[in-house]
Every structure is written in structure tokens, then in C-alpha cells.
């Protein structure tokens, strides 16, 4: 098919548009001619049916009269009179149908005059059968006048039908000629239009192919753009000046706790702000232009620090050249947690250095005190009371030495000695010591879960930790109470470890100490 320019296609389209009303007019004329032909056929059928109905009514009236003449029953006479009345009613209907044809009207008038005379003779026969007998009545129905009238009625009915058939043939021929002419012109216009439409169709197919290629290229660009947005670690939301969402990536919704939220090109910022009463996306108003009367106020586009659940976000925006804004969110939760862990580590390191120095000095003093107590023991060997006081002092030195070792372990000046142990056995051994240390006012309950795992710890440090927390609990419950120590298995997942930088995901044993 030859190539067509847009101007040629437009010219063909104008020609087709000009031919369209002509074709429609000819089609309407053809339709009118066909409709008239159908109406004529229907009209002729109606006239013929009405003519047959008149004939049938006359026959029924004659049948009723014969029955009356033979039986002398009033019912037969009534049947005759009713059919005579129906004959006149059928004549009225026939006259309505042929009212536009003077010849037919004249024939119906002649027919009615003949029927008037025929019914008069029939009524005369009905009267004579009573007064003169059946032969006189039969004579009326079979005389020459009656026969002539009956033949005239038949000829009149046949003439009416023949006239309608002739009119039908004449009008149908004229209608067929008009339809044939209209069909010829319509066929010519149809062929011309078909050639033009096929030509335009070729142009449309090529234009549609170019459009499809352009759409495919645009879809590829959109796919690449969305892939680029999804590859960004930041959350991105682009909105138009009227607040319609233009583009976004999954990180933006994930940052605000709505990863499964469905957003498309019809979504608006107002719909997002409506979620959860506006608490999640209520800040978006700061990044959109507002109108005050006839004046448009540009958005502030300032940095905003906000918390969404357990996330710490930094949100800022930039204005698009065509209106609207691009809103970017950074998840700073990990950085803030890392800074907090670093500050805590630095603080604990400083405390460790201070504690280590104090522990060394205190340990040196305890060594001097312990040595002097050992030397003093030989000087008071014969004094039991003094020896008992000396033993008490040495026990205090030993407790101070244990405290020193704990301080040095905290300061990491003494190496830990972890080994696989069952904390349930350590708790069982420590419970007896706790009952002596806490007194009778403190009730101790231990709960050890079944299937408790072994864990890698320094047993001495665990015992000291349990003892220290139990003593703190005793000091908090001056009037007595209940101390519950619980051991169970625990699995820390990546979600928990992401919010607690000091632990790694894995299997652990939990030691929980609760007081009332």
C-alpha cells in the first residue's frame, strides 16, 4: 500500500464524511420504499380479510335462516339476525380500509345496497314461513331476483379483491424500482467508502505501530525509572502541585510502616494523610504549596526529624520545576543506635579504667591489712576472744578480696574463664547461699524450664551476678517479699538484634530475677 501523508489522509477523511450523509439519505429512501411496500402488502391483506369476513358473515346469516326455516326455533332466528348485524359491522370496517380509493368506496356502496335487498328478501322468507309455510319461504329464497342478487354480491366481493391485488402489483413494481435504484447508488457509495476506509486503515495501522513503539519505549523508561527508585536506599515520594502522587519507591512506604500500602497514579496526598488519622503522613502538608486567596505559597521544604514506631527518620524535600515536590526520607535508626552504643562503650571504658585503678589500690591495702592480721595472730595466741575478732577481720579481708576480683573483672583487668555449664545446676548450688544471705522474710522461688541448654559463661561471675541482684532485691523489700529466679531458653532474631546493637542473633539462655 503506498505511503500516505497526514494531509492525504485528512482529504480522504473529508470526502468520506461528505459521502456519508448522501449514503444515509439514499439508504433512508430505500428504507421508506421498502416500508411502503410492506405497508401496502399489509393493507391489501387487511382489505382481503375484511372482504372475506363480509362474505363469511353473509354465509353465516344464510345458515341461521335455513336452520330457522327448518326448525322454527327462535335461537336460529336470533343467530340469523346477529350475523346480519355483524355483516353490516364488517362493511363499516371494510369502508375504513378502502376510504382513500374512490373506486373501492363506490363498489362497497353498491355491495351494501345489494346486501340490503338480499337481507330484506331473507327477512321476508323468515316472516312467510310463519304465515304461509315452508314452501312459500323457500320460493322467496330461490326465485330469480334472489339468484340475481346473490350473483351480484359475489361479483362485487370479487371485484373489490381484484382491485386490491391490481393496486398491490402496481405499487410493488414501483417500490422495487425505487429500491433497486437506491441499492445501486448505495453500492457505489459503499465501494467508494470501502476503498477510502481501507486506505485510511493502512495509515492507521502504521500510525498505531509507531504509537505502540512509543508506548513500549515509554513503558521501558518508566520501568527503568522505577527500578532506579527501588535501588535507592532512601525513601522517595514525588507529588504534583495538586497533591497527586507521581512516583514512589517501596522504601518510602517501609520507612513509615506501610510496606503493603497500594499507591498508584490516582492516589493523592490527602488520601495518605487520612490514614491513621494523619499521624503517619500528616507531615506531608509541609512539603506542598498552599493557596491563600489568589496567591500560591511555596512549601517550606525544610529538614524534619521524626520518629515513626522504632524508626528515626530525617525527611527533606525539593521543589520540581513544573510544580510539586520530591520528598526524601532517610532511615537514621542504625546510625543513632550505633552512636548510642559507641557512647555507652566509651562511658563503660572510662568507668572500667577508673574502677581498675581503684581496685588495684584497694587490693594493695587489703594485702597490707591481711599480712598484719596474719602476724598479729601469733601475738594473741592465748586470747580466745581476740582470736575470734581476728578471724572476723580476716573474713572481711577475704570478702574485700572477692569484691576486688569482681571490680577487676568488670574492668577487664582479670581474664574471664568461660566454659560450657548448665545454669540450672549453678542456680541450685547458689540457692542455699541465698537463703542464708536473704533471711527468712524473703521467699525464694526458682523456675527452671525443661530442656535447658548449656551456655558458655564464667560460673563465678554468674554466681556473683545472682548474689548481687538478690541482695539488691532484699534491700528493696524491707518488710519481706518474694524473689523469683527463672531460667529458660530464648532465641533472639535479626529484628531484635537490629534494635539492640550489643547482641547478635542466635540461641541464648535467659536468666530473669523478679522481686515484689
Amino acid at each position: 500500500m503506498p505511503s500516505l501523508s497526514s494531509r492525504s489522509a485528512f482529504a480522504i477523511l473529508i470526502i468520506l464524511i461528505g459521502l456519508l450523509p448522501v449514503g444515509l439519505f439514499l439508504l433512508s429512501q430505500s428504507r421508506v420504499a421498502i416500508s411502503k411496500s410492506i405497508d401496502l402488502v399489509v393493507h391489501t391483506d387487511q382489505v382481503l380479510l375484511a372482504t372475506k369476513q363480509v362474505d363469511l358473515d353473509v354465509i353465516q346469516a344464510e345458515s341461521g335462516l335455513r336452520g330457522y326455516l327448518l326448525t322454527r326455533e327462535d335461537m336460529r332466528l336470533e343467530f340469523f339476525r346477529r350475523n346480519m348485524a355483524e355483516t353490516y359491522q364488517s362493511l363499516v370496517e371494510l369502508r375504513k380500509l378502502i376510504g382513500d380509493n374512490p373506486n373501492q368506496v363506490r363498489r362497497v356502496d353498491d355491495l351494501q345496497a345489494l346486501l340490503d335487498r338480499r337481507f330484506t328478501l331473507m327477512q321476508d322468507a323468515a316472516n312467510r314461513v310463519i304465515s304461509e309455510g315452508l314452501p312459500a319461504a323457500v320460493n322467496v329464497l330461490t326465485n330469480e331476483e334472489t339468484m340475481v342478487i346473490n350473483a351480484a354480491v359475489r361479483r362485487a366481493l370479487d371485484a373489490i379483491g381484484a382491485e386490491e391485488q391490481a393496486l398491490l402489483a402496481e405499487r410493488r413494481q414501483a417500490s422495487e424500482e425505487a429500491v433497486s435504484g437506491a441499492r445501486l447508488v448505495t453500492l457505489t457509495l459503499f465501494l467508494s467508502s470501502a476503498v477510502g476506509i481501507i486506505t485510511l486503515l493502512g495509515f492507521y495501522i502504521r500510525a498505531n505501530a509507531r504509537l505502540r513503539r512509543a508506548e513500549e519505549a515509554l513503558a521501558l523508561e518508566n520501568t527503568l525509572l522505577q527500578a532506579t527508585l527501588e535501588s535507592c536506599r532512601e525513601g522517595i515520594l514525588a507529588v504534583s502541585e495538586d497533591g497527586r502522587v507521581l512516583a514512589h519507591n517501596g522504601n518510602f512506604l517501609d520507612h513509615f510502616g506501610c510496606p503493603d500500602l497500594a499507591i498508584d497514579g490516582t492516589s493523592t496526598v490527602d488520601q495518605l494523610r487520612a490514614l491513621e488519622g494523619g499521624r503517619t503522613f500528616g507531615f506531608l502538608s509541609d512539603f506542598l504549596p498552599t493557596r491563600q486567596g489568589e496567591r500560591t505559597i511555596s512549601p517550606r521544604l525544610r529538614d524534619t526529624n521524626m520518629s515513626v514506631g522504632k524508626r528515626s527518620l530525617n525527611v527533606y524535600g525539593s521543589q520540581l520545576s513544573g510544580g510539586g515536590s520530591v520528598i526524601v526520607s532517610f532511615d537514621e535508626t542504625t546510625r543513632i543506635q550505633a552512636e548510642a552504643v559507641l557512647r555507652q562503650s566509651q562511658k563503660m571504658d572510662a568507668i572500667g579504667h577508673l574502677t581498675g585503678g581503684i581496685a588495684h589500690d584497694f587490693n594493695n591495702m587489703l594485702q597490707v591489712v591481711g599480712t598484719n592480721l596474719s602476724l598479729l595472730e601469733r601475738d594473741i595466741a592465748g586470747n580466745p576472744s581476740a582470736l575470734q575478732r581476728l578471724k572476723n577481720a580476716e573474713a572481711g579481708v577475704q570478702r574485700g578480696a572477692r569484691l576486688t576480683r569482681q571490680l577487676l573483672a568488670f574492668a577487664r583487668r582479670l581474664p574471664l574463664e568461660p566454659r560450657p555449664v548448665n545454669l540450672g545446676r549453678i542456680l541450685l548450688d547458689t540457692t542455699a547461699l541465698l537463703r542464708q544471705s536473704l533471711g527468712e522474710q524473703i521467699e525464694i522461688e526458682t523456675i527452671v524450664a525443661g530442656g535447658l541448654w548449656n551456655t558458655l559463661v564464667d560460673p563465678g561471675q554468674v554466681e556473683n551476678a545472682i548474689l548481687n541482684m538478690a541482695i539488691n532485691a532484699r534491700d528493696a523489700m524491707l518488710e519481706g517479699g518474694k524473689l523469683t529466679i527463672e531460667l529458660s531458653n530464648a532465641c533472639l532474631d535479626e529484628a531484635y538484634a537490629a534494635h539492640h546493637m550489643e547482641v547478635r542473633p542466635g540461641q541464648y539462655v535467659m536468666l530473669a530475677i523478679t522481686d515484689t
Side-chain angles (χ1 to χ4, degrees):
M1 186 176 294
S3 177
L4 291 176
S5 64
S6 299
R7 183 176 299 175
S8 300
F10 182 74
I12 293 174
L13 183 62
I14 292 298
I15 294 173
L16 290 177
I17 293 175
L19 291 176
L20 182 62
V22 176
L24 291 176
F25 173 75
L26 293 175
L27 286 175
S28 65
Q29 292 299 313
S30 176
R31 183 177 179 181
V32 169
I34 294 172
S35 178
K36 286 182 177 180
S37 177
I38 294 173
D39 291 342
L40 288 173
V41 172
V42 173
H43 181 268
T44 301
D45 289 340
Q46 291 175 343
V47 171
L48 293 175
L49 287 175
T51 304
K52 290 179 180 180
Q53 185 62 43
V54 172
D55 191 13
L56 180 62
D57 290 339
V58 172
I59 294 172
Q60 292 290 339
E62 290 178 348
S63 176
L65 178 62
R66 292 191 188 98
Y68 175 71
L69 294 179
L70 295 174
T71 62
R72 310 287 179 87
E73 293 178 357
D74 294 339
M75 179 182 66
R76 302 287 184 176
L77 181 62
E78 178 63 26
F79 182 74
F80 158 68
R81 291 173 177 173
R82 185 171 66 250
N83 279 280
M84 186 172 59
E86 290 177 356
T87 301
Y88 285 114
Q89 181 63 35
S90 298
L91 280 174
V92 172
E93 297 298 329
L94 179 60
R95 183 175 281 105
K96 290 180 181 179
L97 292 174
I98 51 86
D100 58 342
N101 190 334
N103 292 331
Q104 292 287 65
V105 172
R106 179 177 53 77
R107 289 188 178 93
V108 170
D109 290 340
D110 294 342
L111 175 62
Q112 184 171 356
L114 292 171
L115 289 176
D116 288 342
R117 180 57 185 163
R118 185 173 183 177
F119 284 137
T120 300
L121 294 173
M122 293 171 70
Q123 184 64 44
D124 183 42
N127 294 332
R128 291 193 179 206
V129 75
I130 299 299
S131 60
E132 300 178 12
L134 181 60
V138 173
N139 183 49
V140 173
L141 296 178
T142 57
N143 60 26
E144 183 178 357
E145 181 184 6
T146 302
M147 294 301 175
V148 171
I149 291 176
N150 289 344
V153 169
R154 174 55 52 197
R155 286 195 300 274
L157 289 172
D158 292 341
I160 293 173
E163 175 72 14
E164 287 298 320
Q165 291 290 352
L167 289 174
L168 175 62
E170 179 183 349
R171 292 169 180 174
R172 180 174 293 174
Q173 182 179 0
S175 175
E176 289 177 354
E177 292 176 355
V179 170
S180 299
R183 285 177 179 173
L184 179 61
V185 176
T186 302
L187 180 61
T188 303
L189 291 175
F190 173 76
L191 293 176
S192 301
S193 301
V195 173
I197 290 174
I198 292 173
T199 305
L200 285 177
L201 184 60
F203 177 78
Y204 170 77
I205 291 174
R206 287 194 297 274
N208 190 53
R210 290 195 298 270
L211 179 61
R212 185 170 59 254
R213 289 194 294 269
E215 290 176 347
E216 291 174 353
L218 180 60
L220 178 60
E221 292 180 359
N222 290 335
T223 302
L224 293 175
L225 173 61
Q226 190 62 37
T228 303
L229 291 177
E230 296 296 342
S231 66
C232 297
R233 299 178 61 183
E234 299 83 3
I236 299 175
L237 177 71
V239 295
S240 62
E241 188 175 7
D242 58 355
R244 183 169 49 86
V245 175
L246 300 177
H248 73 287
N249 64 357
N251 285 340
F252 185 85
L253 301 179
D254 185 59
H255 286 172
F256 292 93
C258 305
D260 300 326
L261 182 63
I263 298 181
D264 55 23
T266 63
S267 301
T268 64
V269 172
D270 290 337
Q271 293 173 345
L272 295 180
R273 284 200 301 262
L275 295 175
E276 300 182 6
R279 292 191 298 273
T280 301
F281 295 101
F283 72 95
L284 293 177
S285 300
D286 296 338
F287 297 91
L288 293 175
T290 57
R291 294 187 62 84
Q292 292 185 357
E294 299 296 329
R295 190 162 58 96
T296 301
I297 301 177
S298 299
R300 288 176 285 179
L301 303 178
R302 58 180 176 81
D303 285 2
T304 301
N305 294 318
M306 56 191 306
S307 297
V308 179
K310 295 182 179 180
R311 294 181 184 269
S312 297
L313 301 177
N314 177 258
V315 183
Y316 74 91
S318 60
Q319 194 165 359
L320 294 173
S321 59
S325 306
V326 174
I327 305 168
V328 182
S329 62
F330 289 92
D331 187 354
E332 297 188 332
T333 306
T334 304
R335 180 184 63 80
I336 294 174
Q337 290 177 347
E339 291 177 352
V341 171
L342 178 61
R343 287 194 298 270
Q344 180 68 15
S345 176
Q346 292 172 344
K347 180 174 68 174
M348 296 304 293
D349 187 58
I351 294 175
H353 283 291
L354 178 62
T355 303
I358 295 174
H360 272 295
D361 293 341
F362 187 56
N363 189 49
N364 293 334
M365 288 187 291
L366 287 177
Q367 289 180 359
V368 174
V369 174
T371 301
N372 284 281
L373 289 176
S374 298
L375 294 174
L376 183 61
E377 184 176 1
R378 287 178 292 181
D379 295 338
I380 59 172
N383 189 343
S385 177
L387 285 174
Q388 181 61 42
R389 293 188 180 91
L390 182 62
K391 295 294 183 183
N392 294 337
E394 288 178 345
V397 171
Q398 292 175 0
R399 288 195 296 272
R402 285 199 300 270
L403 175 61
T404 301
R405 286 196 297 272
Q406 293 177 11
L407 292 174
L408 290 174
F410 172 75
R412 297 297 186 266
R413 299 299 179 88
L414 288 180
L416 297 176
E417 297 179 358
R419 64 177 186 271
V421 296
N422 188 295
L423 291 185
R425 296 192 186 95
I426 294 178
L427 179 60
L428 182 63
D429 297 337
T430 308
T431 303
L433 178 61
L434 290 177
R435 297 188 189 282
Q436 296 177 0
S437 302
L438 301 183
E440 297 180 355
Q441 291 183 331
I442 304 299
E443 178 186 356
I444 301 176
E445 180 182 8
T446 59
I447 302 174
V448 180
L452 191 67
W453 297 327
N454 289 341
T455 186
L456 189 66
V457 293
D458 187 328
Q461 294 299 317
V462 173
E463 291 176 353
N464 289 334
I466 295 175
L467 183 60
N468 288 336
M469 285 190 286
I471 292 174
N472 289 339
R474 179 201 62 188
D475 296 340
M477 298 184 293
L478 299 178
E479 298 180 358
K482 183 178 180 180
L483 182 71
T484 303
I485 305 176
E486 181 182 0
L487 285 171
S488 63
N489 297 328
C491 291
L492 304 183
D493 57 13
E494 294 183 357
Y496 181 87
H499 294 90
H500 299 82
M501 301 295 293
E502 68 276 6
V503 299
R504 289 179 296 179
Q507 297 174 335
Y508 291 82
V509 173
M510 181 189 70
L511 168 64
I513 300 179
T514 309
D515 64 69
T516 56

